[in-house]
Amino acid sequence: MASPGTIDTRGSDFARLAHRIADAGLLDRRPFYYAIRMSIMAAVYAGGWALFVWVGDSWWQLLVAAALAVIFAQLGFLAHDLGHRQVFRTRRPSDIAGLIIGNLGVGLGWGWWTTKHNKHHANPNHEDHDPDVSPAVIVWSQEQARRSAGLPRFIAKYQAFWFFPLLTLEAWHLHIASFKALFQGTAKRPAIELTLLITHVVVYFGAVFAVLPFGKALLFLVVHQGLFGVYLGSTFAPNHKGMPVLTKEDKLDFLRKQVLTSRNVRGNLFTDVALGQLNYQIEHHLFPNMPAPNLRKAQPIVERYCAEIGVDYLQTGLVESYGQALRHLHEVGAPLR
């Protein structure tokens, strides 16, 4: 792949692509699709909890926990689409639906997550501006590895091996971060968000400990939240991990900044559903407000256009995407080994 910092930048390239996408009608809203999808998810969510109550005190609840982990992640994908205004044109209905699904349904802070995610979209894989590659337990560049200390430094040595086990804690991290953000003075509607988050926690833990004895309840929580985190992390990992990490030295136009830091995952209808259609990551980053079902149709248009203007366009299989991401994480830790 060409070095991001040496690529000629031509701002009009994106404008020409945008015209092609608009002319194909791919930025038009899909209200019927989202009405069906939201109705199905509401029924599945209610059905999942009804099944939990019906199964009662049984070890079969571990399978229910796994099913609910998938349901929670799918709700997260729907909230993601709402955050990008793919569903509604205006902010108010998007925010209302997002708060209900995110804060109340899943227990993740809508306001905090959308702000964080929008920063990621503005500067994907940028060391200084993308919160998704800020050094924490995992580091994303060799320079971050050299500067690390304590637990991150210990983990970084062999972080490729730690990556998936650490994802079992990701959901808990997101829940805690959602609450912390509400007390940092930056939330637009802290009272509403906090009320909905607390309601979720009370109902969620109340239902689990009311139906199950203490030991099984704890195990249910571990399985449900652990698999929820693994599913979310496994969905987002193929998108940017292992792609170029940008610094202040890299000067790229919008199109190249989005395409060169993103990776598509090829697949079929099952892959699209399982990954929330975020396997079309390049198209999503170029047109974040494009309705998710239109991304598959945009993919060949974008790929052909990138070939025309000489911009690298990466698309791999799902397993290979994980391999590239894990190899990158292992190379990042090399200075510490």
Side-chain angles (χ1 to χ4, degrees), residues 52 55-58 61 207-218 220:
F52 169 78
V55 171
D57 183 3
S58 167
Q61 289 286 17
V208 171
F209 283 97
V211 171
L212 298 175
F214 187 78
K216 285 180 182 174
L218 288 181
F220 178 93

Side-chain angles (χ1 to χ4, degrees), residues 49-113:
W49 284 113
L51 179 63
F52 169 78
V53 174
W54 180 76
V55 171
D57 183 3
S58 167
W59 290 109
W60 289 107
Q61 289 286 17
L62 298 185
L63 291 180
V64 178
L68 282 169
V70 173
I71 293 169
F72 270 45
Q74 288 291 327
L75 280 173
F77 298 150
L78 185 53
H80 168 272
D81 292 2
L82 286 161
H84 284 297
R85 308 268 190 93
Q86 295 177 17
V87 183
F88 305 106
R89 289 188 181 276
T90 58
R91 180 183 297 275
R92 183 174 175 80
S94 300
D95 286 347
I96 292 173
L99 286 167
I100 292 172
I101 293 173
N103 291 56
L104 186 60
V106 181
L108 300 181
W110 166 256
W112 162 75
W113 184 84

Side-chain angles (χ1 to χ4, degrees), residues 4 7 19 30 51 54 86 96 101 134-135 139 142 161 194 202 209 211 222 242 263 269 274 293 313:
I7 296 173
H19 281 302
R30 299 284 299 273
L51 179 63
W54 180 76
Q86 295 177 17
I96 292 173
I101 293 173
S134 296
V139 294
Q142 291 192 350
F161 301 96
L194 184 60
V202 170
F209 283 97
V211 171
V222 169
R263 178 197 294 109
L269 180 61
Y313 179 104

Side-chain angles (χ1 to χ4, degrees), residues 172-300:
W172 296 109
H173 161 70
L174 293 173
H175 292 309
I176 293 170
S178 297
F179 274 99
K180 287 176 62 178
L182 294 177
F183 296 98
Q184 294 174 347
T186 57
K188 294 181 179 179
R189 52 184 82 81
I192 294 174
E193 292 220 37
L194 184 60
T195 299
L196 292 174
L197 282 178
I198 291 175
T199 301
H200 171 86
V201 169
V202 170
V203 174
Y204 175 73
F205 283 94
V208 171
F209 283 97
V211 171
L212 298 175
F214 187 78
K216 285 180 182 174
L218 288 181
L219 189 56
F220 178 93
L221 294 174
V222 169
V223 172
H224 177 225
Q225 295 295 330
L227 291 180
F228 179 31
V230 170
Y231 189 178
L232 285 180
S234 298
T235 298
F236 289 104
N239 299 341
H240 302 282
K241 308 316 177 196
M243 301 303 290
V245 177
L246 306 180
T247 68
K248 60 185 178 181
E249 305 300 325
D250 299 304
K251 308 297 182 183
L252 299 177
D253 66 321
F254 176 80
L255 183 145
R256 288 163 179 79
K257 180 167 59 174
Q258 303 299 335
V259 174
L260 295 177
T261 60
S262 303
R263 178 197 294 109
N264 272 19
V265 175
R266 69 173 65 92
N268 48 34
L269 180 61
F270 175 80
T271 308
D272 291 359
V273 174
L275 299 183
Q277 299 172 98
L278 294 174
N279 45 315
Y280 303 105
Q281 190 66 194
I282 294 173
E283 290 70 34
H284 171 58
H285 260 259
L286 287 170
F287 303 98
N289 64 335
M290 178 185 292
N294 290 349
L295 293 170
R296 170 182 280 273
K297 298 176 182 178
Q299 188 276 325

Side-chain angles (χ1 to χ4, degrees), residues 301-323:
I301 298 174
V302 174
E303 185 176 19
R304 284 195 301 268
Y305 184 75
C306 286
E308 289 175 18
I309 63 175
V311 173
D312 290 338
Y313 179 104
L314 182 59
Q315 183 169 232
T316 71
L318 181 61
V319 175
E320 176 57 20
S321 73
Y322 290 135

